[in-house]
Amino acid sequence: MDNNEKLKYIVDSYNKDIKTIDDSLKLNEMRVKYLGKKSEIQEISLNLGSLSIEEKKELGKSLNEAKKYIEGDLNRLTEEIKNKELTTKLNKEKIDLTLPGTKFELGTKHPISIVREEIEELFVSMGYDVLDGPELEEDLYNFEMLNIPKGHPARDMQDSFYITEEKLLRTHTSPVQARAMLNNKEKSPIRIICSGYTYRKDNDDATHSHQFHQIEGLFIDENISMSDLKGTLELLSKKLFGESREIRIRSSYFPFTEPSIEIDISCFNCNKKGCSICKNSGWIEILGAGMVHPSVLRMGGYDPDKYSGFAFGMGLERIAMLKFGINDVRYFYSNDIRFLNQFNKIEGDSNESK
Ligand code: PHE
């Protein structure tokens, strides 16, 4: 068989083969078989070099014709089959526009997150940094560096979950104070806010939870006084519970602050007249605070003769319960969608109207 006959034979067999092809996969195989690198046509073109110029010209022409014919036919068929496959697919996937759509439920922000973000926003606007600390904490930071040595009776105020002798689930966010002081190598002023989970061995009921959230603030600089603390907490109370809130300072005790105070806000429900929310006192306790104890400053590497500071800490659940009128702390952890959905519209609302 000379080359021309071979070509004719190839085209004939292509024509025969192609009749049985009806999908794009097989069509591709055909393309490889007849035009690919190992195809017979390719083999003939590789042999062109050994021919005389005359023969080359003649065979080259027929080669091109054969290639073009097969290529054109394959392209036409590709288009045809693609269209056919698309029509079949569309017919199979007919869309029923009358069916109800799939509803995607949008999540809502958890009330604890709403309150946390509101507080963080206020403090960030005053130049505080948001800091994080570990929930599995060392006794050293949770107690010792906060002026609560082993055997100190204040340890009983916070019943703890110990994991080992030296490690426990943090009972408050105050260890972050100690960490922030130690981590600041330049011993420059500190302004931080830190929130997160805290743990105490409590029996869960409507007002107690063994796992809860706190948010903590620490401000250290030269000449910081109680009036700075008071002004800051007044701002915070107004932001959380409305412009007309007043605050009241009561003396208290924490080993890591001296003096220590507790802050009450005027009851937002009755405006000091007395109601069930404020237990008829007109005031509601919201947080603990104080001036950082000189020993705590010293242990953190700060000279108490040069620096002073204030710190405060509060439970986020309590704030959220007061703010949103929630009467059972367990709602926060029950993941009941009916509870959570109520906070859909609350985010960003202010308490100005209260
Ligand atoms: N850590 C204290 C508590 O959990 C609260 C507090 C923080 C008090 C900072 C004073 C200063 O009860």
Side-chain angles (χ1 to χ4, degrees):
M1 227 196 290
D2 72 10
N3 280 326
N4 270 316
E5 280 170 344
K6 249 195 220 163
L7 275 175
K8 202 169 156 319
Y9 174 77
I10 293 171
V11 172
D12 279 350
S13 77
Y14 167 81
N15 279 334
K16 213 157 66 197
D17 271 5
I18 201 76
K19 286 205 182 90
T20 60
I21 302 299
D22 55 3
D23 69 59
S24 39
L25 210 75
K26 283 197 196 121
L27 202 63
N28 237 346
E29 285 168 11
M30 284 290 282
R31 195 180 285 276
V32 173
K33 178 171 174 196
Y34 284 94
L35 300 173
K37 272 193 193 140
K38 290 182 183 153
S39 61
E40 286 172 288
I41 283 192
Q42 188 64 14
E43 205 176 294
I44 296 175
S45 10
L46 287 177
N47 289 333
L48 271 180
S50 61
L51 300 178
S52 73
I53 297 189
E54 252 334 285
E55 283 171 320
K56 228 189 255 176
K57 244 188 196 168
E58 203 186 313
L59 185 61
K61 200 167 155 235
S62 336
L63 244 176
N64 266 342
E65 273 169 9
K67 251 200 223 169
K68 248 195 200 143
Y69 168 76
I70 294 177
E71 214 162 60
D73 195 53
L74 278 173
N75 287 347
R76 178 186 60 78
L77 265 173
T78 308
E79 202 56 30
E80 214 172 82
I81 286 177
K82 233 175 32 195
N83 282 339
K84 218 165 67 194
E85 286 176 344
L86 184 67
T87 317
T88 323
K89 195 169 165 222
L90 287 178
N91 279 341
K92 246 199 267 166
E93 289 178 2
K94 245 189 209 144
I95 296 169
D96 183 352
L97 294 173
T98 61
L99 278 175
T102 316
K103 224 173 127 192
F104 292 101
E105 294 277 350
L106 261 191
T108 56
K109 232 172 234 174
H110 195 278
I112 297 290
S113 304
I114 297 175
V115 172
R116 175 177 50 79
E117 284 175 14
E118 201 173 324
I119 299 173
E120 280 176 359
E121 204 177 276
L122 171 72
F123 281 95
V124 166
S125 79
M126 296 194 286
Y128 284 60
D129 289 329
V130 178
L131 219 65
D132 229 352
E135 286 173 37
L136 182 58
E137 186 53 282
E138 289 170 40
D139 184 278
L140 176 72
Y141 296 109
N142 196 82
F143 291 128
E144 306 235 354
M145 299 268 304
L146 296 171
N147 218 17
I148 317 175
K150 292 211 165 73
H152 193 290
R155 289 201 178 206
D156 300 341
M157 283 162 76
Q158 305 182 352
D159 234 345
S160 323
F161 289 111
Y162 272 90
I163 306 298
T164 65
E165 280 268 306
E166 294 302 329
K167 279 192 192 298
L168 73 161
L169 294 174
R170 66 176 174 193
T171 56
H172 49 180
T173 40
S174 300
V176 182
Q177 287 187 36
R179 285 177 174 274
M181 282 187 244
L182 278 185
N183 284 341
N184 187 329
K185 298 280 179 269
E186 292 100 52
K187 301 301 160 203
S188 53
I190 295 182
R191 253 182 291 180
I192 56 138
I193 188 104
C194 155
S195 70
Y197 270 121
T198 45
Y199 304 81
R200 286 184 204 178
K201 254 189 209 163
D202 257 331
N203 289 327
D204 293 357
D205 61 22
T207 52
H208 295 88
S209 172
H210 62 282
Q211 181 187 31
F212 57 106
H213 295 80
Q214 279 193 345
I215 192 158
E216 184 101 4
L218 174 70
F219 192 156
I220 294 178
D221 207 335
E222 292 176 36
N223 301 318
I224 297 300
S225 73
M226 195 73 157
S227 72
D228 296 311
L229 173 59
K230 187 180 175 213
T232 306
L233 296 179
E234 222 157 33
L235 265 178
L236 174 63
S237 308
K238 286 182 197 300
K239 165 99 173 170
L240 285 173
F241 295 104
E243 264 314 304
S244 54
R245 290 291 57 73
E246 293 167 41
I247 67 167
R248 181 173 83 168
I249 293 181
R250 269 185 301 110
S251 121
S252 182
Y253 171 74
F254 300 103
F256 35 94
T257 46
E258 180 59 37
S260 301
I261 58 171
E262 265 169 76
I263 293 282
D264 299 339
I265 54 165
S266 54
C267 180
F268 49 77
N269 190 49
C270 64
N271 225 346
K272 290 194 285 192
K273 284 189 203 74
C275 69
S276 62
I277 291 183
C278 60
K279 298 193 189 101
N280 272 324
S281 72
W283 295 90
I284 300 170
E285 182 198 322
I286 60 160
L287 59 83
M291 301 308 293
V292 182
H293 196 290
S295 306
V296 173
L297 281 172
R298 210 173 290 119
M299 281 187 269
Y302 280 77
D303 177 1
D305 289 330
K306 183 174 174 206
Y307 283 107
S308 51
F310 64 71
F312 59 88
M314 71 191 125
L316 285 178
E317 278 79 0
R318 179 163 168 76
I319 303 292
M321 283 168 90
L322 289 168
K323 198 170 155 75
F324 302 131
I326 298 162
N327 59 14
D328 194 322
V329 71
R330 288 167 293 199
Y331 280 127
F332 291 123
Y333 310 112
S334 57
N335 284 336
D336 187 331
I337 203 86
R338 294 165 305 175
F339 171 73
L340 295 170
N341 272 341
Q342 298 175 79
F343 299 92
N344 220 348
K345 295 212 169 54
I346 283 175
E347 207 208 339
D349 284 3
S350 73
N351 279 280
E352 299 307 291
S353 53
K354 277 186 180 158

